Amino acid sequence: MRVLVIGGGGREHALVWKIAQSPKVSKIYAAPGNAGIAELAECVALKATDIESLANFAERNRIDLTVVGPESPLIAGVVDVFERRGLAIFGPSKEPARLEGSKVYAKEVMRRYRIPTADFSAFSDPQTAAEYVHRRFREGARGLVIKADGEAAGKGVFVVHHVDEALEVIRSLMEERVLGEAGARIVIEEVLIGEEASLMAFTDGVTALPMPPVQDYKRALDNDRGANTGGMGSICPLRLVTPDLQQQAMEQIIHPAIRATRDAGIPFRGVLYAGTMVTEAGVKTLEFNVRFGDPETQAVLPLLENDIVEVMQAAVECRLDEVTLQWKPRYAVCVVIASGGYPGKYETGLPIEGLEEAAQVPECVVFHAGTRKEGDRIVTAGGRVLGVTALGDTLAQARGRAYDAVRCIRFDYMHYRTDIGIKWV
Ligand code: AMP
Ligand code: GLY
């Protein structure tokens, strides 16, 4: 089989790494890929959002299966374009991808299908939104969460604790449009307290097969301080989510969301990912994503025993009921090494050293995110640069190995968190 992977981050390196282990696969392409992916796949210089060119490429190169990493092409309808041309592709079509593309839509689905989530209201008028926050704080709310409706690459969520702070966020989103059209509508919801868990499942629109629970570390600095990022590390499995809680989440969150997409006419096929808060009152939904998490995938896929290509094909062909997922009874820890300054401004083009040494650490894989080749050197090319992942019999062993490998790697101004998974050891 010939497989095309769309994207070029750490998640896509983990996908390519796992796909390359399939005996069914003879050739992998990645668009655009990165320096790590280039060791396993042929990288093509096409943007993940250049849908027409990607479809032309898939047709010309007789691609048997395309796998989509990031959300943007899914929300823009890459799956619809490929399917219209008879090309097999793993991911949801444009309509069900609205679960991630619109927060208002996602919250409406949650309300209609009684999916546990924070109480919320949606607004398209700043005045009404302002009156609402005045009222909520008068009634004694300790805080509120304000979310831009549209796609905002993780930058559209604000936790506020005072009326003035709330009004400022409403003004900048809805009047100044600092996030563009994403701020035309907003959701305001109650603050949930607890531990975050990422719950992902493969689905063909009817059957859903869960992956083990993962914890993602979103803040830039140790002890969950600093700015929100795309994710600074992940651990899997997160034992806090017991098999009972996981089953509850499948019944109350994942299955109803899939049913909603069926009722709307186009069943969800691909990976459905619920970002959740494990609260004292059970697991509540923060958001839906319509793809694999990044860096969750870097910790999950090394634990999967199955041939992932068979799982994805079964999902595309709506026969996931024939598949049983097998997971290694082990732990995985992924530590992201970022460019100094990320998620703000940072330099690129800095040479990376120690990659071979890091790869010598037992049961360790270094997934590349923002890297590129410059002559025979590998240099930094993005905010998140590497996802150093290791397995172990215990979380402590996996952590120890991941950090042993991290300490082999050097580039100017590199930054990583030292506390990934420490809470659960
Ligand atoms: P979202 O994109 O909706 O998942 O929000 C991004 C991040 O904001 C989440 O991962 C949480 O850390 C935080 N967040 C979102 N909604 C809430 C909430 N209702 N209560 C507390 N934290 C939240
Ligand atoms: N790690 C969070 C995400 O993939 O959205």
Side-chain angles (χ1 to χ4, degrees):
M1 277 179 69
R2 300 157 66 80
V3 178
L4 166 65
V5 174
I6 298 178
R11 162 184 50 210
E12 288 78 20
H13 190 184
L15 280 165
V16 166
W17 173 85
K18 185 66 187 164
I19 290 167
Q21 291 167 22
S22 168
K24 299 176 113 177
V25 172
S26 54
K27 173 90 188 174
I28 309 175
Y29 294 93
N34 62 33
I37 291 174
E39 292 185 4
L40 301 165
E42 185 175 328
C43 295
V44 270
L46 289 175
K47 280 206 196 121
T49 45
D50 186 356
I51 293 177
E52 282 305 315
S53 304
L54 289 167
N56 291 340
F57 178 88
E59 230 162 46
R60 254 199 331 269
N61 291 279
R62 302 181 321 280
I63 299 296
D64 300 295
L65 178 68
T66 297
V67 177
V68 190
E71 62 274 19
S72 294
L74 294 168
I75 292 168
V78 67
V79 171
D80 309 61
V81 171
F82 271 61
E83 285 183 343
R84 232 176 281 135
R85 296 208 198 174
L87 295 162
I89 183 163
F90 178 78
S93 359
K94 188 171 181 170
E95 167 65 31
R98 288 168 68 209
L99 281 174
E100 178 163 4
S102 164
K103 297 240 185 238
V104 173
Y105 174 71
K107 291 296 283 200
E108 282 168 0
V109 165
M110 291 183 222
R111 186 172 274 166
R112 213 170 322 127
Y113 288 79
R114 299 180 196 288
I115 295 172
T117 187
D119 278 338
F120 75 99
S121 301
F123 300 92
S124 45
D125 163 46
Q127 191 55 37
T128 324
E131 282 160 21
Y132 177 80
V133 302
H134 273 294
R135 178 159 64 76
R136 291 301 309 269
F137 279 106
R138 251 197 333 268
E139 289 167 355
R142 295 278 196 79
L144 292 171
V145 184
I146 304 181
K147 302 184 177 184
D149 175 47
E151 205 187 341
K155 284 181 279 189
V157 176
F158 304 85
V159 182
V160 295
H161 298 97
H162 306 283
V163 172
D164 292 348
E165 214 183 337
L167 296 178
E168 180 52 37
V169 171
I170 293 169
R171 187 168 49 244
S172 67
L173 288 177
M174 303 189 86
E175 290 175 18
E176 292 164 25
R177 295 286 167 96
V178 291
L179 295 177
E181 280 311 294
R185 293 201 292 174
I186 59 169
V187 167
I188 304 183
E189 64 182 38
E190 63 168 337
V191 178
L192 297 174
I193 312 276
E195 284 288 334
E196 283 186 52
S198 303
L199 306 176
M200 301 189 283
F202 291 97
T203 179
D204 60 7
V206 179
T207 302
L209 305 176
M211 302 183 214
V214 194
Q215 191 156 52
D216 169 27
Y217 292 76
K218 289 209 166 71
R219 301 294 205 94
L221 306 177
D222 282 6
N223 302 314
D224 294 330
R225 280 201 272 265
N228 257 321
T229 70
M232 292 297 293
S234 56
I235 65 157
C236 183
L238 176 66
R239 290 282 176 222
L240 170 77
V241 180
T242 58
D244 276 357
L245 278 181
Q246 186 185 34
Q247 201 190 329
Q248 198 186 84
M250 289 301 289
E251 284 166 12
Q252 297 183 354
I253 300 173
I254 298 288
H255 279 293
I258 295 168
R259 198 173 336 117
T261 66
R262 273 206 309 274
D263 293 349
I266 306 183
F268 190 107
R269 264 182 290 152
V271 169
L272 181 60
Y273 158 165
T276 70
M277 191 74 90
V278 183
T279 72
E280 282 178 355
V283 184
K284 300 208 178 186
T285 315
L286 295 173
E287 64 168 347
F288 284 115
N289 294 321
V290 298
R291 50 169 175 86
F292 287 98
D294 187 348
E296 285 89 337
T297 306
Q298 292 88 310
V300 172
L301 291 189
L303 298 175
L304 179 62
E305 297 269 19
N306 301 59
D307 178 340
I308 195 170
V309 175
E310 281 178 7
V311 179
M312 289 173 164
Q313 278 186 303
V316 170
E317 292 161 13
C318 295
R319 45 176 189 79
L320 212 47
D321 58 338
E322 296 170 9
V323 173
T324 308
L325 296 182
Q326 305 279 353
W327 300 96
K328 297 191 171 105
R330 323 208 48 218
Y331 288 85
V333 171
C334 169
V335 178
V336 169
I337 307 185
S339 297
Y342 172 77
K345 276 201 195 124
Y346 52 81
E347 243 180 89
T348 59
L350 303 168
I352 306 171
E353 278 166 61
L355 289 166
E356 294 81 19
E357 249 176 289
Q360 302 296 309
V361 174
E363 296 195 89
C364 177
V365 210
V366 180
F367 292 120
H368 290 224
T371 67
R372 74 182 135 82
K373 235 170 160 179
E374 224 175 62
D376 46 9
R377 291 195 313 188
I378 291 178
V379 302
T380 64
R384 291 189 290 176
V385 177
L386 301 165
V388 180
T389 303
L391 302 192
D393 294 329
T394 61
L395 188 61
Q397 187 181 43
R399 246 194 120 243
R401 287 171 168 171
Y403 278 106
D404 282 347
V406 164
R407 281 188 289 270
C408 297
I409 293 169
R410 289 170 304 279
F411 60 85
D412 286 347
Y413 316 115
M414 69 183 237
H415 165 69
Y416 59 90
R417 278 181 63 158
T418 66
D419 65 343
I420 303 303
I422 203 161
K423 200 190 303 181
W424 310 108
V425 168

